[in-house]
Amino acid sequence: MRRPLAAWASLSTALRLTVAVHVLALIAWPLGIIAPGWLLGAVVLNHGVLLVGMRPGSRLLGPDMRRLPPASALRGEVALTFDDGPDPEVTPRVLDLLDAAGARASFFCIGAAARAHPALVREIVRRGHSVENHTETHPLAFATFGIARMRREIAAAQGSLAPLAGQAPRFFRAPAGIRSPLLTPAMAGLPLTYLSWTRRALDGTRGDAARGLARLSHDLVAGDILLMHDGRCALSPDGWPVVLEMLPRLLDRLAAEGLRAVSLPMALGEAPVASGAAARPDAGAARIASAGYASR
């Protein structure tokens, strides 16, 4: 009895209303106590609300951390987050750029990619950044999965990332940021906070560094959560990953405006992981390359 009650308690108000609307329709339709047109209209309207709730940043379907806490904003902090890695070509260069600027970030890693490149995950942590959960395989249809399958993707990534990073991820971001109506019950009991972003570069699909930088920096303020990609990156016309063209300019912009780039745990008031990063910007990439990874 406790499990059904716990599952019901984990549902958002919008999802509880969805259940109520569908139960009402199933009862009222055969009895003819409500006109079919009204029932159909209610169901269609309800599904429209759910679609709106699936958009990144919406809280209709459950909690969503899309800005840093007020205390972090008062400290002048901005969170840099990178999705879809680790990537042996791009991630080492991103780490070097962050080192050169004294910046920290959070990397939302795909579990399978992390297992394929364990040295990169360890290097992310060694440099003082955090490793977070972005599912085990990054299925594009993730938002259409049932509760059990969705939970397996998230839990598998926790199992892959925790031993490599030395601690379990504390934040989760869905593939493409599309939130399933079933995500909250799927995450029930997992020690994860769901997080989207304030602004994103779209550097995973669009090869224009200038526009990506404009998206990130327009009206940029303390407390923002910025989304970029160190994996599955779009390429600029000259074949260079967009993030590598965009990130140095973004870091310069943050410095000019007196904003500090932090990881998500740092934004919550935790001290950064002690970093042993070398002073030379390219030293980290060389170290990873010596472990069997190519760097560009």
Side-chain angles (χ1 to χ4, degrees):
M1 183 66 179
R2 289 182 180 179
R3 183 169 294 178
L5 289 176
W8 177 258
S10 71
L11 300 182
S12 66
T13 300
L15 201 51
R16 292 183 195 180
L17 287 173
T18 296
V19 173
V21 166
H22 284 74
V23 169
L24 176 62
L26 288 172
I27 294 173
W29 187 286
L31 294 178
I33 56 178
I34 299 178
W38 284 103
L39 289 175
L40 180 60
V43 170
V44 170
L45 178 62
N46 174 254
H47 281 246
V49 171
L50 291 182
L51 285 174
V52 172
M54 293 174 71
R55 296 178 57 190
S58 172
R59 291 175 178 164
L60 279 174
L61 301 178
D64 182 353
M65 181 177 167
R66 56 192 177 189
R67 292 193 59 80
L68 299 181
S72 178
L74 287 173
R75 294 193 295 266
E77 295 173 346
V78 170
L80 302 184
T81 67
F82 296 88
D83 281 10
D84 294 2
D87 178 276
E89 292 285 343
V90 179
T91 304
R93 294 300 184 186
V94 168
L95 292 174
D96 285 341
L97 291 170
L98 294 172
D99 272 356
R104 295 293 181 268
S106 291
F107 290 78
F108 282 79
C109 295
I110 300 170
R115 288 187 288 104
H117 307 295
L120 276 177
V121 179
R122 289 190 287 269
E123 187 71 4
I124 289 170
V125 176
R126 195 191 72 80
R127 302 278 194 106
H129 311 289
S130 77
V131 171
E132 309 300 346
N133 189 322
H134 198 43
T135 72
E136 178 69 8
T137 64
H138 198 278
L140 295 179
F142 178 79
T144 69
F145 289 177
I147 293 175
R149 188 177 178 187
M150 203 178 299
R151 187 180 181 86
R152 284 196 298 271
E153 272 285 334
I154 301 170
Q158 287 289 96
S160 294
L161 297 170
L164 296 176
Q167 63 181 28
R170 295 171 53 187
F171 296 89
F172 172 73
R173 177 180 282 152
I178 300 174
R179 185 194 186 108
S180 165
L182 303 177
L183 181 61
T184 298
M187 290 178 62
L190 295 174
L192 289 165
T193 296
Y194 185 74
L195 176 141
S196 56
W197 57 82
T198 312
R199 57 194 75 240
R200 58 178 171 175
L202 295 176
D203 57 326
T205 57
R206 302 180 186 181
D208 189 325
R211 289 191 178 183
L213 178 64
R215 292 186 190 97
L216 293 177
S217 57
H218 179 67
D219 291 334
L220 179 65
V221 295
D224 280 351
I225 297 173
L226 309 185
L227 167 59
M228 291 164 281
H229 290 79
D230 68 316
R232 305 183 183 189
C233 304
L235 302 179
S236 64
D238 62 0
W240 191 248
V242 171
V243 68
L244 299 182
E245 294 186 2
M246 183 175 55
L247 183 57
R249 286 180 271 173
L250 174 64
L251 293 170
D252 287 344
R253 173 71 179 270
L254 293 178
E257 297 194 9
L259 298 173
R260 180 183 176 217
V262 300
S263 67
L264 293 167
M266 290 172 66
L268 297 182
E270 299 178 13
V273 177
S275 173
R280 289 190 301 107
D282 286 338
R287 184 184 306 107
I288 295 171
S290 69
Y293 297 103
S295 61
R296 184 176 174 183

